[in-house]
Short mmCIF file of all heavy atoms in Angstrom, two decimals:
data_model
loop_
_atom_site.label_atom_id
_atom_site.label_comp_id
_atom_site.label_asym_id
_atom_site.label_seq_id
_atom_site.Cartn_x
_atom_site.Cartn_y
_atom_site.Cartn_z
N ASP M 360 33.75 77.11 105.25
CA ASP M 360 32.48 77.60 104.63
C ASP M 360 32.36 77.08 103.18
O ASP M 360 31.28 76.60 102.79
CB ASP M 360 32.45 79.09 104.62
CG ASP M 360 32.33 79.69 106.06
OD1 ASP M 360 31.90 78.92 106.92
OD2 ASP M 360 32.72 80.83 106.30
N LYS M 361 33.44 77.15 102.41
CA LYS M 361 33.34 76.74 101.02
C LYS M 361 33.19 75.25 100.84
O LYS M 361 32.40 74.75 100.09
CB LYS M 361 34.60 77.18 100.26
CG LYS M 361 34.74 78.75 100.19
CD LYS M 361 33.56 79.34 99.42
CE LYS M 361 33.71 80.86 99.35
NZ LYS M 361 32.55 81.47 98.65
N THR M 362 33.95 74.46 101.65
CA THR M 362 33.87 73.03 101.53
C THR M 362 32.52 72.50 102.04
O THR M 362 31.83 71.70 101.35
CB THR M 362 34.98 72.37 102.33
OG1 THR M 362 36.25 72.88 101.86
CG2 THR M 362 34.97 70.85 102.09
N GLY M 363 32.09 72.99 103.20
CA GLY M 363 30.77 72.57 103.69
C GLY M 363 29.66 73.04 102.80
O GLY M 363 28.71 72.25 102.53
N GLY M 364 29.73 74.26 102.35
CA GLY M 364 28.72 74.77 101.42
C GLY M 364 28.64 73.96 100.14
O GLY M 364 27.57 73.68 99.56
N TYR M 365 29.83 73.59 99.61
CA TYR M 365 29.87 72.81 98.37
C TYR M 365 29.18 71.47 98.57
O TYR M 365 28.36 71.05 97.75
CB TYR M 365 31.33 72.64 97.95
CG TYR M 365 31.52 71.68 96.79
CD1 TYR M 365 31.14 72.01 95.51
CD2 TYR M 365 32.06 70.44 97.03
CE1 TYR M 365 31.32 71.13 94.43
CE2 TYR M 365 32.24 69.55 95.99
CZ TYR M 365 31.83 69.87 94.72
OH TYR M 365 32.03 69.01 93.67
N LEU M 366 29.55 70.76 99.64
CA LEU M 366 29.02 69.46 99.87
C LEU M 366 27.50 69.49 100.19
O LEU M 366 26.71 68.59 99.70
CB LEU M 366 29.77 68.72 100.96
CG LEU M 366 31.20 68.38 100.64
CD1 LEU M 366 31.87 67.66 101.84
CD2 LEU M 366 31.29 67.46 99.40
N TYR M 367 27.11 70.48 100.93
CA TYR M 367 25.70 70.58 101.30
C TYR M 367 24.85 70.94 100.12
O TYR M 367 23.74 70.40 99.89
CB TYR M 367 25.48 71.56 102.43
CG TYR M 367 26.07 71.13 103.73
CD1 TYR M 367 26.50 72.01 104.67
CD2 TYR M 367 26.21 69.74 104.01
CE1 TYR M 367 27.05 71.61 105.90
CE2 TYR M 367 26.79 69.29 105.18
CZ TYR M 367 27.23 70.25 106.16
OH TYR M 367 27.74 69.78 107.31
N SER M 368 25.33 71.86 99.28
CA SER M 368 24.56 72.22 98.07
C SER M 368 24.56 71.05 97.09
O SER M 368 23.52 70.79 96.47
CB SER M 368 25.21 73.44 97.40
OG SER M 368 26.54 73.18 96.98
N ARG M 369 25.63 70.31 96.97
CA ARG M 369 25.64 69.12 96.12
C ARG M 369 24.70 68.05 96.66
O ARG M 369 24.03 67.31 95.93
CB ARG M 369 27.05 68.57 96.03
CG ARG M 369 27.98 69.36 95.19
CD ARG M 369 27.58 69.28 93.72
NE ARG M 369 28.36 70.17 92.90
CZ ARG M 369 28.26 70.26 91.57
NH1 ARG M 369 27.37 69.49 90.97
NH2 ARG M 369 28.93 71.13 90.90
N GLY M 370 24.62 67.91 98.01
CA GLY M 370 23.69 66.98 98.56
C GLY M 370 22.24 67.35 98.30
O GLY M 370 21.41 66.48 98.00
N LEU M 371 21.94 68.63 98.35
CA LEU M 371 20.56 69.08 98.09
C LEU M 371 20.22 68.83 96.56
O LEU M 371 19.10 68.34 96.27
CB LEU M 371 20.45 70.57 98.42
CG LEU M 371 18.99 71.17 98.28
CD1 LEU M 371 18.00 70.37 99.13
CD2 LEU M 371 19.05 72.59 98.67
N MET M 372 21.17 69.13 95.68
CA MET M 372 20.88 68.88 94.25
C MET M 372 20.82 67.39 93.98
O MET M 372 20.07 66.94 93.10
CB MET M 372 22.03 69.55 93.45
CG MET M 372 21.89 71.03 93.35
SD MET M 372 22.99 71.76 92.12
CE MET M 372 24.61 71.39 92.80
N ALA M 373 21.61 66.57 94.74
CA ALA M 373 21.53 65.12 94.56
C ALA M 373 20.09 64.65 95.00
O ALA M 373 19.54 63.73 94.41
CB ALA M 373 22.52 64.42 95.39
N LEU M 374 19.56 65.25 96.06
CA LEU M 374 18.22 64.87 96.49
C LEU M 374 17.19 65.22 95.42
O LEU M 374 16.30 64.37 95.11
CB LEU M 374 17.89 65.58 97.79
CG LEU M 374 16.53 65.34 98.39
CD1 LEU M 374 16.33 63.86 98.74
CD2 LEU M 374 16.30 66.21 99.67
N VAL M 375 17.28 66.40 94.85
CA VAL M 375 16.33 66.79 93.81
C VAL M 375 16.47 65.93 92.59
O VAL M 375 15.48 65.44 91.99
CB VAL M 375 16.54 68.31 93.46
CG1 VAL M 375 15.63 68.70 92.30
CG2 VAL M 375 16.27 69.20 94.67
N SER M 376 17.70 65.66 92.17
CA SER M 376 17.94 64.80 91.00
C SER M 376 17.43 63.40 91.24
O SER M 376 16.80 62.77 90.36
CB SER M 376 19.42 64.80 90.67
OG SER M 376 19.68 63.95 89.55
N GLY M 377 17.69 62.84 92.42
CA GLY M 377 17.24 61.51 92.76
C GLY M 377 15.75 61.38 92.72
O GLY M 377 15.18 60.40 92.19
N ILE M 378 15.03 62.36 93.25
CA ILE M 378 13.58 62.32 93.26
C ILE M 378 13.01 62.43 91.85
O ILE M 378 12.09 61.71 91.49
CB ILE M 378 13.01 63.44 94.19
CG1 ILE M 378 13.41 63.19 95.65
CG2 ILE M 378 11.53 63.60 94.04
CD1 ILE M 378 13.01 64.32 96.55
N ALA M 379 13.61 63.31 91.04
CA ALA M 379 13.15 63.49 89.68
C ALA M 379 13.29 62.16 88.87
O ALA M 379 12.36 61.73 88.17
CB ALA M 379 13.86 64.63 89.00
N HIS M 380 14.47 61.58 88.95
CA HIS M 380 14.66 60.32 88.21
C HIS M 380 13.89 59.16 88.78
O HIS M 380 13.46 58.23 88.05
CB HIS M 380 16.17 60.00 88.17
CG HIS M 380 16.97 60.91 87.31
ND1 HIS M 380 17.44 62.12 87.75
CD2 HIS M 380 17.40 60.78 86.05
CE1 HIS M 380 18.17 62.68 86.80
NE2 HIS M 380 18.12 61.91 85.71
N TYR M 381 13.65 59.16 90.07
CA TYR M 381 12.81 58.14 90.69
C TYR M 381 11.38 58.20 90.14
O TYR M 381 10.77 57.14 89.82
CB TYR M 381 12.83 58.26 92.22
CG TYR M 381 11.74 57.48 92.90
CD1 TYR M 381 11.77 56.09 92.98
CD2 TYR M 381 10.65 58.16 93.46
CE1 TYR M 381 10.77 55.39 93.62
CE2 TYR M 381 9.63 57.49 94.09
CZ TYR M 381 9.68 56.11 94.15
OH TYR M 381 8.68 55.39 94.78
N VAL M 382 10.87 59.40 90.05
CA VAL M 382 9.47 59.59 89.52
C VAL M 382 9.39 59.07 88.06
O VAL M 382 8.47 58.37 87.66
CB VAL M 382 9.06 61.05 89.62
CG1 VAL M 382 7.71 61.24 88.89
CG2 VAL M 382 8.91 61.44 91.09
N LEU M 383 10.43 59.41 87.24
CA LEU M 383 10.44 58.93 85.88
C LEU M 383 10.50 57.39 85.77
O LEU M 383 9.73 56.78 85.05
CB LEU M 383 11.60 59.56 85.12
CG LEU M 383 11.84 59.01 83.70
CD1 LEU M 383 10.73 59.43 82.77
CD2 LEU M 383 13.18 59.41 83.16
N LEU M 384 11.43 56.80 86.55
CA LEU M 384 11.59 55.31 86.46
C LEU M 384 10.31 54.62 87.03
O LEU M 384 9.97 53.55 86.51
CB LEU M 384 12.82 54.91 87.24
CG LEU M 384 14.15 55.45 86.67
CD1 LEU M 384 15.31 55.07 87.62
CD2 LEU M 384 14.42 54.91 85.27
N LEU M 385 9.75 55.22 88.04
CA LEU M 385 8.56 54.60 88.58
C LEU M 385 7.40 54.68 87.60
O LEU M 385 6.57 53.73 87.49
CB LEU M 385 8.15 55.32 89.91
CG LEU M 385 6.97 54.72 90.66
CD1 LEU M 385 7.33 53.30 91.16
CD2 LEU M 385 6.64 55.61 91.88
N ALA M 386 7.31 55.81 86.82
CA ALA M 386 6.24 55.92 85.86
C ALA M 386 6.45 54.98 84.68
O ALA M 386 5.49 54.46 84.11
CB ALA M 386 6.20 57.38 85.31
N LEU M 387 7.69 54.71 84.36
CA LEU M 387 7.98 53.75 83.23
C LEU M 387 7.88 52.31 83.69
O LEU M 387 7.92 51.39 82.82
CB LEU M 387 9.35 54.04 82.68
CG LEU M 387 9.56 55.40 81.97
CD1 LEU M 387 11.01 55.50 81.54
CD2 LEU M 387 8.61 55.49 80.78
N GLY M 388 7.85 52.05 84.99
CA GLY M 388 7.79 50.68 85.47
C GLY M 388 9.11 49.94 85.48
O GLY M 388 9.16 48.71 85.44
N VAL M 389 10.20 50.74 85.57
CA VAL M 389 11.55 50.13 85.65
C VAL M 389 11.79 49.59 87.07
O VAL M 389 11.52 50.31 88.05
CB VAL M 389 12.58 51.16 85.26
CG1 VAL M 389 14.01 50.63 85.37
CG2 VAL M 389 12.32 51.67 83.85
N PRO M 390 12.27 48.39 87.25
CA PRO M 390 12.52 47.88 88.61
C PRO M 390 13.65 48.60 89.28
O PRO M 390 14.50 49.22 88.63
CB PRO M 390 12.87 46.42 88.33
CG PRO M 390 13.36 46.35 86.93
CD PRO M 390 12.60 47.45 86.19
N TYR M 391 13.62 48.50 90.63
CA TYR M 391 14.64 49.14 91.48
C TYR M 391 14.68 50.63 91.24
O TYR M 391 15.77 51.25 91.20
CB TYR M 391 15.98 48.51 91.28
CG TYR M 391 16.02 47.02 91.49
CD1 TYR M 391 16.02 46.12 90.39
CD2 TYR M 391 16.08 46.50 92.75
CE1 TYR M 391 16.01 44.77 90.56
CE2 TYR M 391 16.11 45.13 92.96
CZ TYR M 391 16.10 44.27 91.86
OH TYR M 391 16.11 42.92 92.07
N ALA M 392 13.58 51.28 91.08
CA ALA M 392 13.54 52.73 90.86
C ALA M 392 14.11 53.55 92.04
O ALA M 392 14.86 54.50 91.79
CB ALA M 392 12.11 53.18 90.57
N PRO M 393 13.84 53.20 93.30
CA PRO M 393 14.43 54.03 94.43
C PRO M 393 15.97 53.96 94.44
O PRO M 393 16.65 55.01 94.56
CB PRO M 393 13.85 53.38 95.66
CG PRO M 393 12.61 52.71 95.22
CD PRO M 393 12.90 52.20 93.86
N VAL M 394 16.54 52.75 94.23
CA VAL M 394 17.99 52.63 94.29
C VAL M 394 18.59 53.33 93.07
O VAL M 394 19.63 54.04 93.21
CB VAL M 394 18.37 51.14 94.28
CG1 VAL M 394 19.88 51.01 94.38
CG2 VAL M 394 17.70 50.46 95.45
N LEU M 395 17.97 53.22 91.93
CA LEU M 395 18.51 53.93 90.73
C LEU M 395 18.40 55.43 90.92
O LEU M 395 19.29 56.16 90.44
CB LEU M 395 17.74 53.48 89.50
CG LEU M 395 17.99 52.05 89.07
CD1 LEU M 395 17.11 51.68 87.87
CD2 LEU M 395 19.47 51.80 88.72
N GLY M 396 17.34 55.93 91.53
CA GLY M 396 17.25 57.35 91.76
C GLY M 396 18.35 57.86 92.68
O GLY M 396 18.96 58.91 92.43
N VAL M 397 18.68 57.10 93.76
CA VAL M 397 19.77 57.46 94.64
C VAL M 397 21.08 57.41 93.89
O VAL M 397 21.94 58.30 94.06
CB VAL M 397 19.79 56.56 95.88
CG1 VAL M 397 20.95 56.87 96.73
CG2 VAL M 397 18.49 56.76 96.66
N TRP M 398 21.27 56.40 93.12
CA TRP M 398 22.51 56.24 92.29
C TRP M 398 22.70 57.44 91.39
O TRP M 398 23.78 58.05 91.34
CB TRP M 398 22.44 54.98 91.53
CG TRP M 398 23.44 54.86 90.40
CD1 TRP M 398 23.21 55.17 89.10
CD2 TRP M 398 24.80 54.48 90.47
NE1 TRP M 398 24.33 54.99 88.33
CE2 TRP M 398 25.35 54.55 89.17
CE3 TRP M 398 25.61 54.07 91.52
CZ2 TRP M 398 26.65 54.25 88.88
CZ3 TRP M 398 26.94 53.76 91.29
CH2 TRP M 398 27.46 53.83 89.95
N VAL M 399 21.67 57.84 90.64
CA VAL M 399 21.81 58.97 89.76
C VAL M 399 22.06 60.25 90.49
O VAL M 399 22.89 61.07 90.07
CB VAL M 399 20.49 59.11 88.87
CG1 VAL M 399 20.55 60.36 88.02
CG2 VAL M 399 20.36 57.90 88.01
#
Side-chain angles (χ1 to χ4, degrees):
D360 293 338
K361 295 299 180 181
T362 306
Y365 170 74
L366 292 181
Y367 292 153
S368 61
R369 288 290 173 179
L371 184 58
M372 287 191 294
L374 178 62
V375 175
S376 177
I378 292 175
H380 288 84
Y381 164 72
V382 172
L383 173 69
L384 297 175
L385 185 63
L387 294 177
V389 178
Y391 303 101
V394 182
L395 291 176
V397 175
W398 164 265
V399 174

